[in-house]
């Protein structure tokens, strides 16, 4: 059975608690938007599309929690919730996208009753659409890979990073479903280990051949002919084709270029930020303990200085293509990305 990361049921939000994986598959149920904000902050739910939809569901909870009798009061309550949800994580643009979409629905309705009904309906529809969009990304991306290819991926851009199916792992699923037998190499993705905890878990769960490597073996596997292509997800893509994704993506892309291996990015149009420039994007800095230990085990001396950025930027010249639900953008990216939006 395919994993469903986040879902709306009986006026509550149900999520897989990803901090518990791979040891146990547990679900949490939230009825308060503050709980959803905490879940995003603490990585109970993570991955750009998944936090976008969680944000939308968070606002749906806020609408149900509010005792406002007038539209203006309800909009004010929703704006308070929007601020709380938005400040949880700064890099993935999908969070702002999900929140803004729900706020515009709220503002377009006339009565508090209509606002509550519409927000819940639209948020549920966004979750359904996410799966369909990922399947389209998968179909578009599957044409780029051949039978018996081994594809490297970094972090987790799978069902667990979306509502279901995944972006980068969606392409891998669709390639396999199209009859091409492929294998996957997953990087461990220190410090939070989304590769070993989540990608390896998810692919193994779905019966896809996956080998786990330490991040330090990216060069070795590429230099020894073990990799035919790379595919990763994204947290934010600029109109110029600059891609913000999990820390280490830039190293993988640079190494792929060195070995003439195509490096692809898979993401929905909701991951594009057409307004900002590279210097405007905030890279989330996370706590030192993620680096000074693995799980509960300490692996560094007390008091050591730590630099722990959660994301990095890959420049367009390292990217062979950006796979979206509307097609594949290739260099020159500024033109091809614009065309994707015109096709929308
Ligand atoms: O810190 P995380 O686990 O939220 O980071 C996730 C990533 O970097 C993913 O690659 C990205 O969000 C794309 S998910 C389809």
């Amino acid at each position: 059975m395919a994993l469903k990361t986040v879902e709306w049921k009986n006026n509550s939000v149900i999520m897989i608690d990803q901090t518990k994986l791979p040891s146990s598959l547990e679900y949490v149920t939230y009825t308060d938007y503050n709980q959803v904000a905490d879940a995003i902050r603490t990585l109970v739910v993570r991955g750009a599309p998944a936090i976008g939809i969680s944000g939308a569901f968070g606002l749906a909870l806020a609408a149900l929690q509010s005792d406002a009798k007038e539209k203006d009061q309800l909009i004010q309550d929703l704006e308070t919730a929007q601020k709380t949800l938005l400040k949880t994580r700064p890099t993935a643009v999908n969070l702002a996208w999900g929140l803004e979409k729900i706020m515009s629905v709220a503002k377009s309705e006339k009565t508090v009753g209509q606002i509550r009904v519409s927000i819940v309906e639209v948020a549920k529809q966004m979750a359904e659409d996410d799966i369909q969009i990922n399947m389209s990304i998968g179909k578009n991306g599957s044409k780029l890979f051949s039978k018996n290819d081994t594809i490297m991926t970094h972090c987790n851009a799978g069902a667990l990073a979306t509502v279901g199916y995944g972006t980068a792992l969606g392409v891998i699923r669709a390639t396999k479903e199209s009859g091409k037998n492929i294998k996957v190499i997953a990087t461990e993705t220190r410090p939070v280990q989304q590769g070993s905890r989540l990608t390896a878990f998810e692919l193994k769960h779905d019966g896809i051949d996956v080998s786990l490597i330490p991040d330090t073996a990216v060069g070795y596997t590429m230099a020894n002919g073990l990799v035919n292509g790379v595919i990763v997800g994204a947290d934010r893509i600029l109109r110029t084709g600059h891609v913000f994704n999990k820390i280490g993506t830039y190293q993988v892309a640079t190494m792929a270029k060195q070995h003439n291996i195509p490096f692809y990015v898979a993401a929905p149009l909701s991951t594009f930020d057409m307004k900002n420039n590279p210097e405007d994007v905030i890279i989330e800095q996370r706590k030192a303990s993620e680096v000074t230990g693995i799980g509960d085990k300490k692996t560094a001396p007390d008091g050591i200085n730590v630099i722990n950025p959660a994301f990095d930027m890959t420049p367009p010249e390292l990217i062979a293509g950006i796979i979206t639900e509307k097609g594949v953008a290739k260099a020159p990216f500024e033109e091809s990305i614009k065309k994707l939006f015109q096709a929308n």
Side-chain angles (χ1 to χ4, degrees):
M1 195 189 68
L3 298 164
K4 203 149 195 202
T5 303
V6 53
E7 204 174 354
W8 181 269
K9 237 187 208 166
N10 304 328
N11 287 346
S12 43
V13 182
I14 301 175
M15 292 177 184
I16 293 177
D17 182 350
Q18 301 193 34
T19 64
K20 301 277 171 34
L21 290 170
S23 314
S24 63
L25 180 56
E26 291 177 30
Y27 291 81
V28 280
T29 303
Y30 300 132
T31 50
D32 183 329
Y33 77 85
N34 290 293
Q35 293 173 307
V36 174
D38 278 343
I40 297 172
R41 197 178 303 111
T42 58
L43 309 184
V44 166
V45 64
R46 33 65 52 201
I51 65 175
I53 300 299
S54 299
F57 281 151
L59 281 184
L61 289 181
L64 299 184
Q65 282 171 260
S66 165
D67 54 15
K69 302 275 182 290
E70 302 296 332
K71 175 177 172 177
D72 285 356
Q73 183 56 48
L74 182 52
I75 296 292
Q76 260 183 41
D77 290 348
L78 288 172
E79 280 169 350
T80 304
Q82 180 185 21
K83 273 190 202 120
T84 303
L85 289 157
L86 185 62
K87 66 178 188 225
T88 53
R89 297 196 77 190
T91 309
V93 76
N94 306 61
L95 181 56
W97 166 86
L99 295 170
E100 277 161 22
K101 197 158 172 172
I102 294 296
M103 287 308 295
S104 76
V105 169
K107 287 175 185 164
S108 72
E109 294 293 359
K110 287 202 173 62
T111 67
V112 289
Q114 284 164 342
I115 293 175
R116 289 194 177 100
V117 170
S118 292
I119 288 185
V120 171
E121 280 315 307
V122 172
K124 278 164 67 178
Q125 189 58 50
M126 285 163 75
E128 288 302 312
D129 291 348
D130 176 82
I131 299 177
Q132 293 310 315
I133 287 169
N134 292 338
M135 291 178 104
S136 301
I137 292 173
K139 205 165 159 219
N140 292 337
S142 66
K143 297 173 191 137
L144 300 167
F145 297 100
S146 309
K147 203 168 94 190
N148 297 328
D149 271 356
T150 299
I151 306 169
M152 178 178 283
T153 189
H154 183 64
C155 191
N156 173 267
L160 288 165
T162 59
V163 177
Y165 204 70
T167 56
L169 297 193
V171 172
I172 286 168
R173 283 194 171 87
T175 306
K176 186 141 193 251
E177 283 158 13
S178 75
K180 293 177 203 159
N181 197 24
I182 48 160
K183 290 184 177 165
V184 178
I185 290 183
T187 59
E188 190 183 14
T189 320
R190 274 286 287 153
V192 181
Q193 293 175 287
Q194 289 92 336
S196 58
R197 292 190 307 107
L198 308 176
T199 296
F201 168 83
E202 184 179 324
L203 293 179
K204 196 162 176 280
H205 177 273
D206 288 357
I208 295 175
D209 185 323
V210 55
S211 300
L212 183 64
I213 59 164
D215 299 318
T216 40
V218 169
Y220 172 93
T221 49
M222 289 186 180
N224 285 280
L226 303 180
V227 183
N228 304 106
V230 180
I231 187 157
V232 299
D235 288 85
R236 187 183 291 246
I237 302 174
L238 305 188
R239 65 184 181 285
T240 45
H242 289 81
V243 168
F244 291 81
N245 191 47
K246 180 51 55 195
I247 193 72
T249 302
Y250 175 43
Q251 285 171 198
V252 176
T254 305
M255 198 53 76
K257 187 76 166 180
Q258 167 77 5
H259 294 288
N260 272 321
I261 295 169
F263 177 91
Y264 293 103
V265 177
L269 293 190
S270 53
T271 301
F272 286 74
D273 168 357
M274 301 295 277
K275 289 196 291 270
N276 285 303
N277 296 312
E279 61 277 15
D280 304 322
V281 179
I282 299 170
I283 300 282
E284 178 184 4
Q285 305 290 321
R286 293 191 63 89
K287 58 187 182 198
S289 59
E290 289 179 352
V291 181
T292 56
I294 300 180
D296 292 337
K297 189 170 162 41
K298 216 151 70 82
T299 55
D302 286 336
I304 193 77
N305 290 331
V306 167
I307 302 169
N308 185 20
F311 302 96
D312 61 23
M313 185 188 80
T314 299
E317 59 271 20
L318 300 181
I319 300 169
I322 302 176
I323 307 158
T324 74
E325 68 272 34
K326 295 288 175 193
V328 182
K330 293 196 171 173
F333 284 103
E334 197 137 10
E335 270 171 43
S336 57
I337 290 172
K338 209 189 271 174
K339 281 206 185 108
L340 292 179
F341 277 87
Q342 283 161 353
N344 205 12

